[in-house]
């Protein structure tokens, strides 16, 4: 069943329950109090009948005259004078014992059967005690009660129908944004992943859903583009050393009598094999650091201590490197320097950045600044190297892409994409600022999550 139908049905059922309770409430109290005025009229007639028939008074003639002139005779009105102690004198029906018990207690008693009403009270004169009962019909009040019953029944069914219609309109109105999202999502396919959902202003659930879809589409589009670039570049990068190795093997086979040529060919094969191994290792690192949904093991790491380890690692690979670490902006609370990360991966990411800074600056001083503010930890790596041309900055995080001014430096264009994947895996980001011929600053921003 569709959500709109479920909402409509639930709305109609709840409305029916509420309306039925309200109708029952109205009916109960109407039934209880609808005849209150008629009972009072009967009770007045009980008192007048007792006065006229049980008491000898000079004013009885006046009472009788007033009754005849001002009190209309009720439909089927009857009077009964029952002497106390003679229960054999009956009224037109057998009244319940509770009726007489109330009279014996000195109170005015009431009783109704269908549309016939009774009121009675005990009176005592000089001779004996008497029970005076007056009965009559109330066709007007009974008819009004019947009319109210019909109105409530008709109103109940009309209200349920109306609530069903209103519920249907309401559910359609509330689900219209969701239907629009579904319709828009159905239009998005692999060939048009650049399309996005229209996000309305506000913080309601529909806006959040559309924004979540857009974020997912951003990741999917990035993944598709990365995959396409990865396959294209990887095939090119792998083909080059394999072609060289194949050519050198043929050359060595032809120069079977020339040991010098064979030696040079074998050295070339060795270099290209090492290059191929490095590329494959980098490709494996890229694959393992991607958003594959796997939970990487994490531990708490002091980032200031990790930077010293990174400095030592880079100095071992590049002994001529000059790395300076600036801790002048460190907070007093060491918790602001501690991150829960995968230590090996985060170390690899920052090491790649620092190593590139040393390599592309011809081993001029490289400055690392560690800061921690508002639950955000940042590591800024600044060099005085060749910089990155403005046209190349937007591509440097693409696998195997190398800037146009890096020809004299050995590299494979995998380090920065690998670092970006690792930083994103830790919910962080990388910002870059560079000027050709002056230097580059790469800032890694990571959230401090307890």
């Amino acid at each position: 069943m569709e959500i709109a139908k479920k909402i409509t049905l639930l709305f109609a059922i709840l409305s029916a329950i509420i309306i039925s309770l309200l109708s029952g409430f109205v009916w109960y109290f109407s039934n209880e109090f609808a005849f209150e005025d008629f009972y009072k009229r009967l009770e007045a007639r009980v008192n007048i009948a007792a006065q006229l028939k049980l008491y000898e008074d000079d004013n009885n003639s006046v009472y009788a005259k007033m009754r005849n002139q001002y009190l209309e005779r009720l439909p089927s009105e009857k009077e009964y004078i029952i002497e106390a102690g003679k229960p054999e004198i009956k009224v037109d029906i057998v009244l319940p014992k509770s009726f007489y018990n109330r009279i014996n207690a000195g109170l005015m008693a009431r009783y109704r059967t269908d549309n016939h009403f009774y009121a009675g009270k005990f009176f005592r004169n000089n001779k004996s005690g008497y029970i005076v009962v007056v009965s009559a019909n109330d066709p007007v009040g009974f008819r009004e009660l019947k009319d109210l019953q019909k109105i409530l029944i008709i109103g109940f069914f009309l209200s349920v129908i109306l609530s069903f219609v209103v519920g249907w309109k309401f559910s359609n109105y509330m689900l219209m944004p969701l239907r629009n999202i579904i319709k828009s999502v159905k239009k998005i396919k692999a060939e048009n992943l650049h399309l996005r959902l229209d996000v309305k202003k506000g913080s309601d659930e529909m806006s959040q859903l559309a924004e979540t879809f857009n974020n997912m589409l951003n990741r999917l589009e990035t993944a598709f583009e990365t995959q396409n670039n990865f396959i294209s570049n990887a095939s090119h990068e792998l083909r080059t050393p394999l072609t060289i190795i194949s050519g050198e093997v043929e050359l060595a086979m032809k120069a079977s009598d020339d040991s010098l040529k064979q030696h040079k060919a074998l050295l070339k094969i060795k270099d290209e094999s090492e290059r191929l191994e490095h590329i494959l290792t980098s490709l494996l690192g890229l694959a393992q650091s991607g958003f594959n949904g796997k939970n990487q093991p994490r531990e708490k790491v002091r980032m200031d201590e990790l930077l010293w380890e990174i400095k030592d690692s880079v100095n071992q690979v590049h002994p001529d490197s000059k790395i300076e670490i600036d801790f002048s902006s460190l907070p007093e609370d060491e918790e602001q320097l501690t991150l829960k990360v995968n230590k090996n991966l985060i170390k690899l990411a920052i090491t790649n950045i620092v190593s590139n800074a040393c390599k592309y600056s011809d081993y001029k001083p490289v400055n690392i600044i560690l800061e921690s503010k508002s639950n955000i930890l940042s590591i800024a790596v600044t060099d005085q190297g060749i910089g990155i041309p403005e046209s190349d900055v937007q591509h440097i995080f693409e696998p195997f892409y190398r800037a146009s001014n890096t020809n004299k430096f050995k590299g494979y264009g995998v380090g920065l994409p690998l670092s970006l994947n690792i930083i994103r895996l830790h919910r962080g980001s990388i910002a870059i600022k560079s000027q050709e011929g002056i230097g580059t600053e790469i800032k890694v921003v990571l959230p401090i999550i307890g």
Side-chain angles (χ1 to χ4, degrees):
M1 184 183 292
E2 295 179 357
I3 295 179
K5 293 180 181 178
K6 289 182 180 179
I7 294 175
T8 302
L9 185 60
L10 181 60
F11 187 80
I13 292 173
L14 291 177
S15 298
I17 293 173
I18 294 172
I19 294 168
S20 61
L21 291 175
L22 179 61
S23 299
F25 179 84
V26 171
W27 169 255
Y28 173 78
F29 284 99
S30 298
N31 192 50
E32 287 291 319
F33 300 109
F35 306 111
E36 182 67 24
D37 180 66
F38 191 77
Y39 273 124
K40 289 182 179 180
R41 294 165 69 184
L42 282 181
E43 291 169 357
R45 284 163 172 76
V46 168
N47 291 326
I48 292 174
Q51 179 66 38
L52 292 175
K53 295 186 178 182
L54 300 179
Y55 301 101
E56 294 180 1
D57 195 322
D58 295 339
N59 296 323
N60 280 1
S61 59
V62 177
Y63 286 140
K65 184 177 180 180
M66 289 179 61
R67 174 178 177 176
N68 293 330
Q69 288 183 354
Y70 298 107
L71 289 180
E72 63 176 340
R73 192 161 186 83
L74 299 175
S76 305
E77 182 179 338
K78 294 180 182 180
E79 296 176 356
Y80 303 94
I81 308 296
I82 306 171
E83 188 175 352
K86 295 182 179 180
E88 67 275 3
I89 302 174
K90 306 290 185 182
V91 296
D92 54 353
I93 67 167
V94 178
L95 295 173
K97 288 184 180 181
S98 60
F99 184 84
Y100 292 106
N101 290 337
R102 189 172 177 81
I103 290 175
N104 293 332
L107 302 174
M108 183 71 73
R110 295 176 176 180
Y111 180 71
R112 177 172 75 90
T113 173
D114 293 332
N115 192 30
H116 205 60
F117 298 80
Y118 297 85
K121 190 176 181 182
F122 179 81
F123 295 91
R124 180 177 293 278
N125 60 10
N126 295 330
K127 298 178 181 179
S128 181
Y130 297 89
I131 296 174
V132 179
V133 178
V134 177
S135 67
N137 290 337
D138 183 17
V140 176
F142 197 74
R143 185 170 60 250
E144 288 177 351
L145 200 61
K146 286 291 185 182
D147 292 340
L148 176 62
Q149 185 180 23
K150 292 179 181 178
I151 291 172
L152 290 176
I153 293 174
I154 295 173
F156 171 78
F157 287 106
L158 289 178
S159 299
V160 170
I161 294 173
L162 181 62
S163 65
F164 187 87
V165 174
V166 172
W168 179 254
K169 295 291 184 182
F170 174 77
S171 61
N172 281 329
Y173 172 76
M174 293 302 296
L175 293 174
M176 185 58 68
L178 183 59
R179 291 194 178 99
N180 292 335
I181 289 176
I182 293 173
K183 188 183 298 182
S184 300
V185 171
K186 285 182 177 179
K187 295 178 181 178
I188 300 175
K189 299 179 181 178
E191 58 269 15
N192 58 358
L193 277 175
H194 62 280
L195 295 178
R196 294 294 180 269
L197 303 180
D198 184 21
V199 180
K200 303 294 183 183
K201 292 183 179 180
S203 58
D204 57 17
E205 287 76 4
M206 293 302 176
S207 298
Q208 293 177 14
L209 179 62
E211 189 173 354
T212 302
F213 265 112
N214 284 342
N215 292 335
M216 181 190 70
L217 290 171
N218 288 335
R219 293 194 296 270
L220 283 176
E221 185 179 17
T222 302
F224 268 79
E225 290 179 355
T226 302
Q227 184 182 33
N228 291 334
N229 292 332
F230 182 85
I231 294 173
S232 176
N233 293 321
S235 61
H236 176 268
E237 291 294 326
L238 292 173
R239 188 182 297 115
T240 300
L242 287 174
T243 302
I244 294 175
I245 289 173
S246 177
E248 292 299 323
V249 168
E250 291 181 2
L251 180 61
M253 290 175 64
K254 291 180 181 179
S256 57
D257 298 331
D258 192 338
S259 60
L260 182 60
K261 287 184 178 181
Q262 284 185 337
H263 181 70
K264 289 182 178 180
L266 291 174
L267 286 177
K268 189 67 174 178
I269 291 172
K270 180 178 179 296
D271 291 339
E272 292 302 321
S273 297
E274 291 177 352
R275 178 185 174 190
L276 184 61
E277 181 185 4
H278 190 281
I279 292 173
L280 290 173
T281 303
S282 300
L283 291 178
L284 182 61
L286 274 176
Q288 290 178 338
S289 66
F291 297 98
N292 54 9
K294 296 181 180 178
N295 293 324
Q296 303 290 345
R298 301 193 179 195
E299 58 184 295
K300 288 189 175 181
V301 177
R302 280 279 299 262
M303 296 304 294
D304 54 342
E305 296 175 357
L306 184 65
L307 288 180
W308 286 114
E309 295 181 19
I310 291 172
K311 180 178 183 298
D312 292 339
S313 298
V314 175
N315 284 333
Q316 288 179 3
V317 179
H318 305 290
D320 297 330
S321 60
K322 301 174 183 178
I323 303 172
E324 300 174 359
I325 303 177
D326 185 354
F327 288 151
S328 60
S329 301
L330 292 187
E332 295 181 359
D333 184 7
E334 66 176 24
E335 291 295 325
Q336 294 295 311
L337 295 172
T338 305
L339 299 183
K340 193 171 184 179
V341 296
N342 183 294
K343 183 177 180 180
N344 292 331
L345 287 180
I346 208 73
K347 182 178 179 180
L348 175 61
I350 300 175
T351 300
N352 283 340
I353 296 173
V354 176
S355 179
N356 280 350
C358 294
K359 180 172 65 174
Y360 292 115
S361 62
D362 287 327
Y363 304 106
K364 293 178 182 178
V366 172
N367 191 33
I368 303 176
I369 300 176
L370 179 63
E371 290 183 324
S372 180
K373 295 179 181 178
S374 303
N375 291 325
I376 296 294
L377 187 142
S378 64
I379 301 169
V381 180
T382 306
D383 63 49
Q384 303 173 27
I386 61 174
I388 304 172
E390 185 177 353
S391 59
D392 293 335
V393 171
Q394 59 183 333
H395 300 291
I396 63 167
F397 291 111
E398 296 176 6
F400 303 108
Y401 185 87
R402 303 195 70 206
S404 56
N405 59 345
T406 59
N407 293 332
K408 70 174 185 176
F409 298 94
K410 186 177 181 180
Y412 305 100
V414 180
L416 283 181
L418 177 58
S419 297
L420 179 62
N421 277 5
I422 293 172
I423 297 302
R424 283 180 174 176
L425 194 67
H426 290 82
R427 300 183 182 178
S429 60
I430 296 181
I432 184 167
K433 183 171 61 176
S434 182
Q435 190 170 352
E436 189 174 4
I438 295 179
T440 302
E441 178 185 345
I442 295 181
K443 179 178 284 189
V444 175
V445 179
L446 292 166
I448 301 174
I449 303 174

